Amino acid sequence: MTTPDGLLRELRAILSPVSLITDEELLRPYECDGLSAYRRLPLAVALPEDEAQVVAVLKACHRAGVPVVPRGAGTGLSAGSMPHPQGVLLSLTKLNRILAFDPVARLAVVQTGVRNLAITELAAPHGLYYAPDPSSQIACTIGGNVAENSGGVHCLKYGLTLHNVLRLRVVTIEGEILELGSHALDAPGYDLLALLIGSEGLLGIVTEVTVRLTPRPQAARVIMASFDDVRKAGEAVAAVIAAGSIPAGLEMMDQGAVAAVEPFVHAGYDLEAKAILLCESDGTAQEVAEEIARMLAVLEQSGANGVRVSRDEAERLRFWAGRKAAFPSAGRISPDYYCMDGTIPRKGLGEMLTAIAGMEQKYGLRCINVFHAGDGNLHPLILYDANVAGQLERTEAFGAEILSLSVALGGTITGEHGVGFEKLNAMCEQFTTDEIRAFHAVKRAFDPPGLLNPVKAIPSLHRCAEMGRMHVHQGALKFPELERL
Amino acid sequence: MSLETFRERILKGGSLRIRGGGSKDFYGGPLAGEVLEVAGHRGIVSYEPTELVITARAGTPLSELSHVLAERGQWLAFEPPAFGGPATLGGAVASGLSGPGRASHGALRDFVLGVKVMDGEGRELTFGGQVMKNVAGFDVSRLMAGSIGTLGLILEVSLKVLPLPVAQATVRFELPEGPALETLNRWAAQPLPVTATAWEEGLLTVRLAGAEAAVRSACDTLGGERVPEAEATAHWLGLRDQTRAFFAGDAPLWRLAVPSITPPLDLPGATLIEWGGAQRWLRGEQIAAGIRDAARRAGGHATVFRGGDRAAGVFTPLPGPLDVIQRRLKAVFDPRAVFNPGRLLPDL
């Protein structure tokens, strides 16, 4: 076991002087990710420039028994890359090279710190793009997307990160290099590629990613439909899908969200509507015309009291700009906001929104709602002011109640933002003791000493028992074998 | 069979050979252990077409699922092979195999949303769920896909389903192997509604599916000879279930998964190519090492799919560090090595 000073000496030998930060003032920008409510300073920030340095840093930390927290662009929303106070924060942004691009094979091999949008920019001249488009795509890295299994507004039709990554190079805490998946469509043995994607940096450090590129559809148009009732909008979504369409994008915003974005973006949204739907079709021009006509008929039958179809690309982008600006707009109308990420079976939408309206009264806080309606992923944005005593605590309680209801409705506590540090307690509601034990055992299979991103994503059984909420799950008390204080 | 009976059998000791419909008994390493029949644990648990999700018990026949889905205009777009037998949902997930549409729609694992399993100590564990987007906990449900039953007894599965395509057409071209592969890769880089391809003996067959307008314009763009509907249906089913003449007989059948752009492989024996060039079937009594090397050089891997020497291991062995992790994961879910010994690796 090395001392922290000993480890820092070793890291200085591995990294160039500008690639190791220990000065408190320079550590400060790394104290949190996109969820700024949780902040800590790390022991040091390491910024390796290639895979060999990643291996050397991990081996040194492994020998020293020091935790390692990986970080991409720091746009995460669940405090997944919040530093460990005794640990090294491993920033991977310098691994930002495109290693190979093959338009015939429709794939790109990129280092982990390459930005999501940079891949699409690279492929665009060949009529190809990288399909997953999380709203942070200008900044977020592909390695971060792999860690979170990121989606975006088009994933109902084009899939999540999982469906668009073919192969990963991963370094274990022991410094071993693993190649998971392949440039063929599968690989022998257990599907460790699927296991790594969405594992939030707990199993290994991704250094290289092969992504599948998708041919850019020739045309795309989007319908904007207004509804005078949120439930009607939810039913319209179900009707579109029942009619046999998989829209390229299917998003809902409630009146509060529309009111927040419209003055900011001037997207042309209907401020009188209780909810608006954005419903996109892509493909050949004829195909889009056919599908738009089919979806329009269904939306009108479902009680839409206003529909507009984008007339050109500029208008289509404007309709989307409002949706994509929902989070910054919330930041404009409120000092702070807290974004939730539960996914529910769509049929529970009405019940969820009614319950959220009740919670607004109960906690004395406003909440605006944006919703990846096609796949049931809900993003309520709770508006608060951290400078007002008690508001953060009320906000957290409000969020926890939304997540409890997501589980009760048959859904999940996180659709795409990850558990991170933020939702550890909520994990105790979704999984049993045995399941959480299995997750810890899976982690140990990759990371026996438990040094990679500890105290994230999977709660300790102790934490679950101590939560003190005594959840009754499917008629049985959870963790019955544990004592309660 | 009740869950309690499953648990008793698992805890009794000795190894178990998990069996659904038995349609894939030929697949993987040699069969060993006392048979644990799962076919009786069947039935659809929930199906809501507008949620695009179906949940069913592992013993549910794939034919029942297809029938129920088709009544609501939906299907399992990864086209799980039944190999002409009473294949079950659990067996489909355990084998992880996908049919002709894999290159365009995705593989079985891409459609798995959640599983309920019983581990090697008789515990019921649920991973994933019934929703499209779910990143809570490690993705153990997809780890089960293709694990050949070695990680646990699959009890229940939730799958994403899709609407059946509105229109479909199959067209055929006379093309030698090399130009066929080049053509397939060129088409795959364009926004064409190609949903399945097969090349055999100088004939390239292509399935187009999607909106009426998309299929019509793709037929115009690609040209080729239109295959009558009944013949086309039989063609794709024959590929999915391997009932075509190519698959008949006792000669070992190899499956090579390679990057789609791999040029024709210089290997003796008859070849059938699917998945836009990414899946290549080979018949013949060649030396295993030669085939494995060819697949590896191309950046892929090779499997003895049917026949041949199963005892020597049918799958390509993993490099050391991956093999270590794979064995640790086996120990996590099946510490007493109860399930399907030898089916994935000779000594696992």
Side-chain angles (χ1 to χ4, degrees):
Chain A
M1 199 62 85
T2 338
T3 62
D5 283 348
L7 173 67
L8 291 178
R9 266 198 304 280
E10 279 195 59
L11 294 181
R12 271 186 208 108
I14 297 164
L15 300 163
S16 69
V18 292
S19 295
L20 183 68
I21 301 171
T22 53
D23 188 58
E24 187 179 325
E25 208 174 308
L26 298 175
L27 290 176
R28 194 61 66 188
Y30 295 93
E31 68 183 350
C32 65
D33 59 17
L35 180 55
S36 56
Y38 301 100
R39 296 165 191 263
R40 279 179 194 167
L41 285 181
L43 174 69
V45 175
L47 295 112
E49 286 159 31
D50 56 30
E51 186 185 80
Q53 290 188 349
V54 173
V55 169
V57 169
L58 289 172
K59 282 184 171 169
C61 291
H62 183 235
R63 278 194 301 275
V66 166
V68 176
V69 174
R71 174 182 164 115
T75 56
L77 291 169
S78 56
S81 48
M82 178 187 75
H84 189 287
Q86 284 90 41
V88 169
L89 186 81
L90 189 66
S91 169
L92 294 155
T93 48
K94 288 189 179 179
L95 275 78
N96 62 357
R97 283 181 286 279
I98 310 268
L99 301 174
F101 166 53
D102 185 340
V104 180
R106 289 97 54 208
L107 51 84
V109 183
V110 302
Q111 286 188 317
T112 191
V114 168
R115 291 174 307 113
N116 173 299
L117 193 59
I119 302 173
T120 285
E121 287 165 355
L122 169 82
H126 301 269
L128 300 167
Y129 75 115
Y130 178 61
D133 60 344
S135 52
S136 56
Q137 73 178 139
I138 294 172
C140 63
T141 64
I142 191 69
N145 291 178
V146 168
E148 305 296 333
N149 191 15
S150 304
V153 296
H154 294 99
C155 58
L156 181 64
K157 183 167 175 182
Y158 293 101
L160 307 161
T161 304
L162 171 88
H163 305 104
N164 291 281
V165 164
L166 292 172
R167 172 187 154 274
L168 296 176
R169 256 172 93 88
V170 174
V171 186
T172 67
I173 186 68
E174 291 158 311
E176 296 268 18
I177 292 173
L178 311 176
E179 289 222 6
L180 310 179
S182 77
H183 290 185
L185 289 177
D186 45 54
Y190 297 144
D191 195 342
L192 302 185
L193 179 65
L195 189 61
L196 250 288
I197 295 174
S199 64
E200 303 196 30
L202 269 75
L203 303 183
I205 303 297
V206 174
T207 54
E208 200 179 295
V209 184
T210 300
V211 298
R212 192 168 71 89
L213 302 170
T214 304
R216 174 72 75 187
Q218 289 161 358
R221 295 175 80 189
V222 62
I223 304 169
M224 182 173 68
S226 310
F227 290 84
D228 59 10
D229 181 82
V230 172
R231 280 176 192 263
K232 269 192 209 165
E235 284 156 16
V237 169
V240 166
I241 285 166
S245 293
I246 298 292
L250 186 51
E251 297 284 313
M252 189 191 295
M253 300 170 78
D254 73 357
Q255 194 167 21
V258 168
V261 302
E262 186 55 28
F264 189 30
V265 183
H266 307 293
Y269 292 166
D270 179 356
L271 290 161
E272 303 297 313
K274 291 283 189 243
I276 65 160
L277 281 185
L278 294 174
C279 189
E280 181 159 280
S281 167
D282 64 13
T284 64
Q286 308 96 307
E287 189 179 6
V288 170
E290 180 184 323
E291 199 169 57
I292 289 281
R294 197 163 60 223
M295 295 193 301
L296 268 180
V298 173
L299 291 170
E300 279 169 350
Q301 272 165 26
S302 306
N305 54 5
V307 289
R308 284 171 61 190
V309 182
S310 62
R311 283 162 300 186
D312 51 34
E313 189 61 8
E315 191 170 54
R316 184 181 79 87
L317 294 175
R318 195 160 60 247
F319 285 174
W320 278 115
R323 167 62 189 85
K324 292 202 171 185
F327 291 18
S329 301
R332 228 177 64 118
I333 62 165
S334 170
D336 299 284
Y337 69 92
Y338 185 41
C339 174
M340 306 313 295
D341 176 43
T343 303
I344 55 172
R346 260 183 271 99
K347 63 174 185 253
L349 177 65
E351 187 177 344
M352 175 59 89
L353 292 177
T354 306
I356 288 176
M359 292 177 214
E360 288 185 281
Q361 303 298 316
K362 177 175 168 186
Y363 294 102
L365 294 167
R366 278 190 63 210
C367 181
I368 63 177
N369 295 290
V370 295
F371 187 42
H372 299 301
D375 44 39
N377 188 200
L378 188 64
H379 292 319
L381 303 170
I382 305 169
L383 309 179
Y384 73 104
D385 183 347
N387 289 325
V388 176
Q391 279 212 2
L392 176 60
E393 291 71 22
R394 290 213 306 279
T395 301
E396 286 180 321
F398 191 155
E401 193 168 334
I402 293 174
L403 297 189
S404 294
L405 184 57
S406 298
V407 175
L409 289 172
T412 177
I413 58 168
T414 175
E416 58 182 356
H417 295 167
V419 173
F421 180 72
E422 176 205 13
K423 302 183 197 81
L424 284 172
N425 287 345
M427 280 290 285
C428 307
E429 291 187 51
Q430 191 167 330
F431 293 98
T432 65
T433 316
D434 284 339
E435 288 151 10
I436 287 173
R437 269 204 193 101
F439 289 142
H440 284 292
V442 167
K443 175 163 173 61
R444 279 194 302 275
F446 286 83
D447 173 21
L451 293 174
L452 282 178
N453 217 6
V455 201
K456 303 274 176 65
I458 312 295
S460 67
L461 292 175
H462 185 69
R463 172 188 279 265
C464 289
E466 293 241 315
M467 255 174 65
R469 297 196 194 155
M470 308 271 183
H471 295 292
V472 176
H473 182 62
Q474 293 173 351
L477 192 64
K478 301 197 90 179
F479 308 102
E481 75 282 21
L482 294 179
E483 283 182 33
R484 289 181 172 78
L485 302 171
Chain B
M1 198 182 271
S2 73
L3 296 185
E4 211 33 63
T5 322
F6 287 142
R7 186 172 291 116
E8 279 167 21
R9 292 285 301 279
I10 289 168
L11 295 178
K12 192 180 77 173
S15 53
L16 294 174
R17 173 188 148 201
I18 304 170
R19 189 176 185 277
S23 65
K24 289 177 272 288
D25 278 352
F26 67 86
Y27 187 60
L31 305 175
E34 198 183 318
V35 173
L36 182 65
E37 295 283 1
V38 187
H41 187 64
R42 60 184 284 180
I44 292 168
V45 177
S46 67
Y47 171 42
E48 302 210 29
T50 62
E51 303 283 343
L52 298 175
V53 178
I54 193 162
T55 300
R57 294 186 190 92
T60 311
L62 290 178
S63 55
E64 182 182 332
L65 289 179
S66 302
H67 179 73
V68 167
L69 291 169
E71 283 181 337
R72 306 301 294 266
Q74 297 184 335
W75 70 319
L76 299 176
F78 54 93
E79 301 177 79
F83 300 115
T88 62
L89 172 61
V93 174
S95 72
L97 298 172
S98 309
R102 191 270 173 255
S104 87
H105 294 124
L108 172 132
R109 67 86 117 140
D110 295 320
F111 288 82
V112 171
L113 298 176
V115 296
K116 186 187 282 182
V117 297
M118 191 173 281
D119 74 4
E121 298 188 274
R123 290 179 297 223
E124 278 172 64
L125 305 171
T126 304
F127 299 104
Q130 287 84 47
V131 289
M132 301 288 157
K133 279 164 95 177
N134 183 358
V135 293
F138 298 129
D139 198 348
V140 178
S141 51
R142 292 191 172 98
L143 187 64
M144 295 292 160
S147 64
I148 332 242
T150 58
L151 291 176
L153 174 64
I154 297 170
L155 297 172
E156 206 173 287
V157 183
S158 297
L159 294 172
K160 177 180 178 179
V161 299
L162 285 180
L164 279 159
V166 177
Q168 196 154 297
T170 294
V171 287
R172 187 168 279 161
F173 305 83
E174 276 185 43
L175 272 180
E177 187 178 356
L181 286 167
E182 284 166 22
T183 304
L184 286 170
N185 280 286
R186 197 172 64 243
W187 286 344
Q190 297 168 24
L192 290 165
V194 171
T195 64
T197 65
W199 179 91
E200 188 190 352
E201 289 184 351
L203 282 182
L204 175 64
T205 312
V206 176
R207 185 177 68 189
L208 302 159
E212 298 269 8
V215 172
R216 212 179 314 116
S217 74
C219 282
D220 293 344
T221 310
L222 300 187
E225 179 203 341
R226 184 76 178 256
V227 179
E229 202 175 310
E231 188 189 333
T233 305
H235 179 82
W236 301 114
L237 260 181
L239 279 167
R240 188 195 78 181
D241 287 347
Q242 299 192 339
T243 52
R244 291 178 65 75
F246 176 89
F247 297 101
D250 294 331
L253 172 68
W254 282 84
R255 172 182 181 269
L256 286 83
V258 292
S260 65
I261 53 165
T262 307
L265 292 161
D266 187 17
L267 293 167
T271 299
L272 190 157
I273 301 174
E274 288 189 273
W275 299 3
Q279 176 166 262
R280 305 192 189 184
W281 300 99
L282 195 65
R283 295 304 300 269
E285 302 280 357
Q286 301 94 334
I287 306 297
I291 296 177
R292 290 236 155 89
D293 282 349
R296 190 179 300 119
R297 276 196 304 275
H301 63 102
T303 303
V304 189
F305 199 80
R306 274 180 201 267
D309 178 11
R310 294 168 72 179
V314 302
F315 301 104
T316 296
L318 299 182
L322 270 184
D323 188 62
V324 168
I325 287 173
Q326 177 158 280
R327 285 168 198 278
R328 286 181 191 156
L329 287 171
K330 165 77 175 174
V332 167
F333 293 99
D334 184 18
R336 295 179 299 118
V338 174
F339 298 122
N340 285 4
R343 199 83 191 266
L344 182 69
L345 293 175
D347 58 342
L348 184 97

